[in-house]
Amino acid sequence: MYHYILKSLKISFWILVPLLFISNSKVEPLMIPNNFEGSYSFESNGAIEHSLQGKASFSTNTKSSNNGTPFSTLSLKFVNNQKSLEHTIQFIISEQNRSDAVAAGKYGIKDNIDGFLNNFDGVFGYANINELGEEPFFTTTGKVVINRIGKDDLEGHVNVTLSDNDGKKIILKGNFHAIRRN
């Protein structure tokens, strides 16, 4: 009987000691390599059915409107300059009454934007895809989710529908890891 109690104590000791060491450790922040340019991978359906990939970047801005209302914006830009499928996609996330930077979270597409002078709340987006002509596609429904925002990078995913004036639609779904641009 004494032998089993001693063995149980030894096993408990060897389980608890590593937990004590681990619980006091510090986690180093995620380091981004200097040559990392940001990336995205979107699947598109509708007017164009391709896998869209390229470089991802973002910028943030906080300002006040003429009447003194603070607002914050985050601009995400996705670019592929390959001749076979050259395209540019951009999303602008704006929040009124916010004097600090846009935070991680889920942001819905704003459907009726009267103009950028009104400092809208939500997401506005567009896509220029050379294969489909010169007419741009604008977001109509969906969301942009920012999972994590760091000092120089952010990660998230999109699930949006874009359409042009002729009624052609593109559905974009995918992930991105964007790097801050100056």
Side-chain angles (χ1 to χ4, degrees), residues 55-109:
K55 296 178 185 176
S57 62
F58 77 100
S59 63
T60 58
N61 199 354
T62 54
K63 291 187 177 183
S64 293
S65 65
N66 290 341
N67 64 2
T69 304
F71 67 96
S72 183
T73 60
L74 183 140
S75 175
L76 292 165
K77 191 168 187 177
F78 308 101
V79 178
N80 182 330
N81 292 326
Q82 294 177 353
K83 290 292 182 193
S84 62
L85 193 57
E86 189 174 357
H87 62 271
T88 301
I89 303 166
Q90 186 163 359
F91 297 104
I92 299 168
I93 301 171
S94 180
E95 286 189 302
Q96 286 186 22
N97 299 317
R98 185 175 187 114
S99 57
D100 56 341
V102 172
K106 187 185 304 185
Y107 298 94
I109 301 299

Side-chain angles (χ1 to χ4, degrees), residues 29-39 56 148 152-155 177-180:
L30 179 65
M31 298 301 292
I32 305 298
N34 289 338
N35 60 352
F36 183 68
E37 295 179 328
S39 64
R148 184 189 63 78
D152 295 320
D153 70 319
L154 63 80
E155 294 180 31
H177 185 179
I179 299 300
R180 183 179 301 276

Side-chain angles (χ1 to χ4, degrees), residues 97-145:
N97 299 317
R98 185 175 187 114
S99 57
D100 56 341
V102 172
K106 187 185 304 185
Y107 298 94
I109 301 299
K110 183 71 174 173
D111 50 356
N112 293 324
I113 296 176
D114 296 330
F116 288 113
L117 298 176
N118 292 334
N119 309 323
F120 65 95
D121 274 326
V123 178
F124 169 78
Y126 70 90
N128 286 324
I129 301 174
N130 287 2
E131 186 175 304
L132 297 175
E134 293 181 12
E135 191 169 334
F137 286 74
F138 296 100
T139 52
T140 55
T141 60
K143 64 185 174 189
V144 175
V145 178

Side-chain angles (χ1 to χ4, degrees), residues 45-57:
N45 292 309
I48 187 169
E49 298 201 12
H50 286 291
S51 181
L52 304 176
Q53 298 174 347
K55 296 178 185 176
S57 62

